[in-house]
Amino acid sequence: MKFPRTCAHRYMAILGAMMLVACGAMVDARAAASDSAAHIDVSGHVFRLDAAKVTYALGVNEKGQLQSIYWGPRLAPGDPLPAPVAPPGGDSINGAVDAVPQEYAGWGEGLYYEPDLKVTFPDGNRDLALRYLSHSVHGNMLSVVLKDIERPIVVTLQYEIDPGTGILRRSAVIENRTVTPVIVEQASAGTWFLPRSHDYTLRFLAGRWAAENSIYERPVQPGKTVLESRRGSTGMQNAPWFAIRRNDASETHGQVWFGALAWSGSWQIAIEQDQTEQIRVTGGFNPFDFGYKLAPGASLQTPSFYAGVTTGGMGEASRLLHRLELTRILPQAPHSRARPVLYNSWEATGFDVNEAGQTALAEKAASIGVERFVMDDGWFGARNSDKAGLGDWTVNPQKFPHGLKPLIDRVHALGMDFGIWVEPEMVNPDSDLYRAHPDWVLNMTGRPRTLGRNQMVLNLARPDVRAYVFGALDKLLSENQIAFLKWDYNRSWSEPGWPQVSPDQQKNVYVDFVSNVYGILEELRRKHPNVEIESCSSGGGRVDLGIMHLTDEVWPSDNTDAFDRLRIQDGFTQAYTPGVMMAWVTDSPSSMDGRSMSLEYRFLSAMQGSLGIGANLTKWTTQDVTTAQRLIADYKVVRETVQHGDLYRLVSPDSGSEHSATENVSPDKAHAVLFAFLHSSTEGYLYPTVRLQGLDADARYRVRVLQGTLAERTPTVASGAYWMNVGIDVVMRGDFQGAAIAFDRE
């Protein structure tokens, strides 16, 4: 099927690159199951997808509706599946259509629950009834085509299952084959159905600036819980992730359904229990203020919605999603490079950057083992504060009279690569760019233009704005040996108008803006394949599977207080792999809470992710330098395990816990590293015994202390079974203590 080249189609092409590698094969239902491949079986109008430990089944009923049949632990080959049967009818209150678990429901036929698609036609008709038209199978992707019963609105549903994790990717392509434009008012990737039950608990992540990713739980009860962002970007208010567990499920065992959206704009996930106690989870574009004008012959691709199921508890749900991100989502997947140890100059210099000062910092950073030096804000235009210069991406000649080359050359001579901060989607009113193009920002004619951090949002939906942003970044990268962009995004949208297009097309900005951000990132990566990029947004304001497909790491929070970070990182890893989690060692007392913590504690907190240093190195003592050199060297030994291994959250820091502990195990189980933390000891009680997880029970592991003290009589070598059942005792007393212990298979 071919689609016209529209902006929406451009987004579809980008998402096409995100599709999982096809490596399965269509097999007969009697074929033997294998965990090493994905299988799609078609029997009549029943479709069954199997991979890893998961089976997903759907089918077409006698009315032509596509309905869910089963989603859960993997069934045996040949196990019977219930036939898709539409209920015979409804009562005067609840129509029959509500009783059908439709995989993709149009708003019509008396539908009362959350629709997947809502369309307004030029004649005012808003009724949409989708029926099965055809299907096809290519590798491990099933495509099912639906069409309205009377008008040529065609929806192609995509189901793609990952062989390694059993996680399913769903999305929809909506095509207007009529002769007039239509307005798409709501569009999701699809709806997930859970088995009917009373014992479900929803887990989700919510927060704010400097307090991202707090874990919340609530019972799933009649009604609807809406997780969303209306900010034009992913947002900190909610993360685009959910998990629904059985009430008896825990971190280590029990059934959990989980999922995450791949979309970096306004989004919504609705968890709904209807009047028949059916659980539905629907996710896609946020319908608030949404109205995509779809021209005749044009198509609109929804975000992708990834979801999986496990019987291994919340911990296994996270590990499966982490594995998908590492092997399928990230730009370098499945062989992602380990993140280098990074230094960032922001906290040392603020906007006061110049060649001499940055060179001095680079020399100190190199002396402790840093591999990447990043110059932050203040290097361009008239940028001496956050009130001017954004948008003018030319080197400030007073600060760098010879350009960036002398600094970059010195950084390279010190054995590090060079990175730089940019915020390309924003503009200050006090800038040459805004003075030349005041119409380039999101705005509504005649209305105030709200400032956030003294800046406005450029309208990247406009082709000329997209061309300018790409051109400025391409020139910067082409003229300088830059290995890394810290891509920042420091405010949410306001006045999301687009006066240059017709009123009925202005709401296309919600899709076209994000499509062009993806397009710029994709084009930069193609033209500059050795450049790596971090997604930063005043902290964790833009972290999702969509932006992660085009960036190498993310910034979880502007809060770098080492103790606060334990809780933030615990929430972050519910959905996202530690391999992309940038974590800095910063000064003490912390700027956030005024809390004093040892340098060792600050390092251990940051070593649980991708290690960075943001402290003012000019204030460090000789002892600080020696400590940093030792811990950075230790981190380089264990970082492959930390960044690309399996994470076990052994003790949560949530809910005021005095203790927390995490463990990372390499995929081959040859190595593990334990991080343990104590807030405050009380009344002489010992730190609890820590029992490891995920080791090879029959293998023997040698213990190695990176930081901290072990109890007397701790064996030097013991079996995996010993460390997992007897455990290990770490000696910690006082306030803000930490330990790091490595385990290596002999």
Side-chain angles (χ1 to χ4, degrees):
M1 185 177 296
K2 295 182 178 179
F3 300 94
R5 282 280 171 186
T6 64
C7 190
H9 181 79
R10 169 66 174 164
Y11 171 53
M12 185 184 76
I14 294 168
L15 275 189
M18 297 176 64
M19 293 178 182
L20 308 179
V21 178
C23 60
M26 182 177 175
V27 296
D28 185 271
R30 296 184 298 274
S34 170
D35 286 347
S36 63
H39 301 271
I40 299 177
D41 300 340
V42 179
S43 178
H45 284 160
V46 173
F47 313 104
R48 172 174 162 170
L49 297 85
D50 293 284
K53 299 178 180 179
V54 176
T55 294
Y56 190 92
L58 61 155
V60 182
N61 64 32
E62 66 272 19
K63 292 186 177 181
Q65 298 162 317
L66 186 68
Q67 68 181 65
S68 175
I69 294 176
Y70 175 82
W71 181 32
R74 189 162 180 166
L75 304 177
D79 275 352
L81 291 168
V85 178
D91 55 35
S92 61
I93 302 299
N94 303 307
V97 69
D98 287 294
V100 181
Q102 290 192 73
E103 290 276 299
Y104 204 85
W107 188 68
E109 303 182 282
L111 184 76
Y112 298 117
Y113 59 74
E114 193 76 18
D116 292 288
L117 182 61
K118 185 176 185 293
V119 174
T120 293
F121 295 90
D123 62 1
N125 176 60
R126 303 188 306 282
D127 187 82
L128 191 70
L130 297 173
R131 296 293 188 269
Y132 168 83
L133 187 63
S134 64
H135 73 271
S136 60
V137 177
H138 301 282
N140 59 348
M141 178 188 284
L142 167 68
S143 296
V144 181
V145 181
L146 309 178
K147 178 187 170 299
D148 179 62
I149 56 175
E150 179 257 335
R151 304 191 183 199
I153 296 295
V154 176
V155 181
T156 301
L157 305 180
Q158 299 168 338
Y159 297 80
E160 195 158 17
I161 193 163
D162 176 46
T165 63
I167 292 175
L168 199 68
R169 183 191 71 84
R170 292 181 61 181
S171 66
V173 179
I174 303 154
E175 186 182 2
N176 178 12
R177 295 185 184 176
T178 74
V179 296
T180 57
V182 300
I183 302 297
V184 178
E185 297 180 344
Q186 188 165 345
S188 78
T191 295
W192 307 94
F193 291 87
L194 276 64
R196 295 179 190 275
S197 180
H198 298 278
D199 63 336
Y200 288 124
T201 296
L202 168 67
R203 177 175 290 192
F204 60 98
L205 302 173
R208 57 167 174 80
W209 178 81
E212 295 90 338
N213 294 314
S214 295
I215 300 171
Y216 292 91
E217 289 195 330
R218 64 178 59 164
V220 177
Q221 295 175 330
K224 185 190 301 182
T225 296
V226 175
L227 310 176
E228 67 173 357
S229 170
R230 299 182 177 188
R231 300 170 180 269
S233 60
T234 314
M236 304 172 192
Q237 181 177 350
N238 293 131
W241 169 88
F242 78 93
I244 299 175
R245 62 175 178 84
R246 298 282 192 183
N247 289 345
D248 62 351
S250 67
E251 179 72 13
T252 58
H253 73 276
Q255 198 160 19
V256 180
W257 291 261
F258 59 93
L261 273 173
W263 182 242
S264 307
S266 295
W267 60 272
Q268 182 186 96
I269 297 175
I271 300 95
E272 183 175 17
Q273 186 183 69
D274 66 17
Q275 65 274 16
T276 66
E277 299 182 338
Q278 175 66 65
I279 309 296
R280 296 175 167 84
V281 181
T282 304
F285 299 123
N286 194 318
F288 176 80
D289 196 42
F290 190 80
Y292 195 91
K293 183 179 181 180
L294 195 60
S299 61
L300 174 65
Q301 170 89 50
T302 74
S304 288
F305 200 175
Y306 294 84
V309 61
T310 179
T311 57
M314 288 300 311
E316 183 65 13
S318 295
R319 287 188 289 276
L320 289 169
L321 200 48
H322 297 171
R323 190 55 47 195
L324 180 85
E325 292 157 3
L326 289 167
T327 60
R328 304 292 183 181
I329 300 293
L330 291 172
Q332 300 175 25
H335 305 296
S336 296
R337 174 193 175 196
R339 311 309 307 137
V341 178
L342 175 153
Y343 179 78
N344 183 284
S345 68
W346 174 251
E347 296 202 6
T349 61
F351 295 101
D352 187 20
V353 300
N354 56 58
E355 183 180 319
Q358 295 294 298
T359 299
L361 281 171
E363 290 169 350
K364 292 181 181 296
S367 73
I368 61 174
V370 165
E371 299 159 312
R372 171 171 288 165
F373 180 83
V374 180
M375 179 169 61
D376 211 278
D377 200 352
W379 60 268
F380 56 92
R383 189 69 166 173
N384 297 307
S385 71
D386 64 8
K387 296 181 179 179
L390 270 184
D392 301 336
W393 299 107
T394 55
V395 178
N396 184 301
Q398 285 73 45
K399 298 179 179 183
F400 298 92
H402 306 291
L404 298 178
K405 188 175 187 303
L407 172 60
I408 295 174
D409 286 347
R410 180 57 180 151
V411 168
H412 289 165
L414 291 166
M416 301 179 292
D417 65 30
F418 180 80
I420 200 165
W421 179 96
V422 293
E423 192 174 4
E425 297 159 78
M426 304 292 167
V427 65
N428 288 126
D430 185 5
S431 67
D432 293 340
L433 179 66
Y434 186 77
R435 283 184 283 271
H437 300 285
D439 57 321
W440 276 14
V441 299
L442 294 174
N443 73 95
M444 294 184 178
T445 304
R447 306 300 298 174
R449 300 185 179 191
T450 304
L451 295 181
R453 200 177 181 249
N454 302 300
Q455 63 196 50
M456 289 180 280
V457 183
L458 290 170
N459 182 4
L460 261 76
R462 291 178 52 142
D464 50 358
V465 177
R466 183 207 186 281
Y468 172 81
V469 169
F470 172 79
L473 295 174
D474 179 48
K475 186 173 187 292
L476 177 67
L477 295 175
S478 297
E479 294 179 353
N480 301 279
Q481 288 185 279
I482 294 171
F484 174 80
L485 291 178
K486 183 178 176 69
W487 184 306
D488 215 338
Y489 180 95
N490 276 309
R491 62 156 296 181
S492 302
W493 289 16
S494 59
E495 299 87 45
W498 186 356
Q500 293 76 28
V501 299
S502 62
D504 63 351
Q505 192 178 345
Q506 288 199 24
K507 293 180 182 179
N508 286 30
V509 70
Y510 288 105
V511 174
D512 294 353
F513 184 110
V514 180
S515 173
N516 279 344
V517 171
Y518 287 169
I520 290 169
L521 287 166
E522 184 188 48
E523 195 171 349
L524 285 174
R525 298 196 72 98
R526 185 168 56 248
K527 191 169 182 181
H528 306 278
N530 296 322
V531 174
E532 296 183 336
I533 303 171
E534 176 184 288
S535 174
C536 175
S537 180
S538 288
R542 189 158 65 183
V543 180
D544 60 82
L545 299 190
I547 205 72
M548 283 172 60
H549 180 63
L550 295 164
T551 57
D552 302 273
E553 64 188 41
V554 298
W555 182 238
S557 179
D558 282 348
N559 185 349
T560 58
D561 179 278
F563 176 70
D564 284 355
R565 267 299 185 110
L566 298 180
R567 200 270 318 148
I568 292 170
Q569 292 171 180
D570 184 61
F572 180 92
T573 62
Q574 301 288 315
Y576 307 115
T577 172
V580 302
M581 183 177 69
M582 197 66 215
W584 287 3
V585 177
T586 53
D587 288 322
S588 180
S590 74
S591 59
M592 182 60 59
D593 298 313
R595 182 183 289 123
S596 295
M597 292 162 285
S598 69
L599 186 59
E600 290 87 347
Y601 184 94
R602 286 176 275 150
F603 257 99
L604 296 181
S605 175
M607 286 166 64
Q608 295 175 96
S610 176
L611 178 62
I613 295 93
N616 187 348
L617 299 181
T618 64
K619 296 182 178 180
W620 276 17
T621 66
T622 301
Q623 181 59 47
D624 290 337
V625 170
T626 300
T627 298
Q629 289 171 334
R630 173 176 60 83
L631 289 172
I632 288 173
D634 285 338
Y635 177 76
K636 290 176 181 178
V637 174
V638 301
R639 70 172 156 193
E640 185 66 32
T641 298
V642 170
Q643 295 180 17
H644 297 153
D646 292 324
L647 173 68
Y648 293 85
R649 296 182 292 259
L650 303 181
V651 182
S652 173
D654 209 12
S655 302
S657 172
E658 295 287 345
H659 316 110
S660 65
T662 64
E663 176 198 6
N664 305 88
V665 181
S666 63
D668 62 0
K669 300 184 182 296
H671 307 282
V673 58
L674 167 69
F675 295 97
F677 299 89
L678 170 69
H679 179 283
S680 299
S681 57
T682 57
E683 299 176 337
Y685 286 106
L686 302 177
Y687 192 87
T689 299
V690 179
R691 293 173 177 83
L692 276 64
Q693 299 176 26
L695 301 179
D696 181 346
D698 297 325
R700 296 185 65 78
Y701 292 87
R702 179 174 296 273
V703 66
R704 178 165 50 93
V705 177
L706 307 180
Q707 178 67 38
T709 303
L710 298 180
E712 293 183 14
R713 296 184 296 279
T714 298
T716 303
V717 179
S719 69
Y722 179 93
W723 300 121
M724 290 190 290
N725 293 292
V726 176
I728 191 166
D729 288 310
V730 182
V731 178
M732 286 192 281
R733 297 178 63 192
D735 300 325
F736 302 113
Q737 300 295 309
I741 315 297
F743 299 82
D744 300 299
R745 187 169 61 195
E746 292 202 316

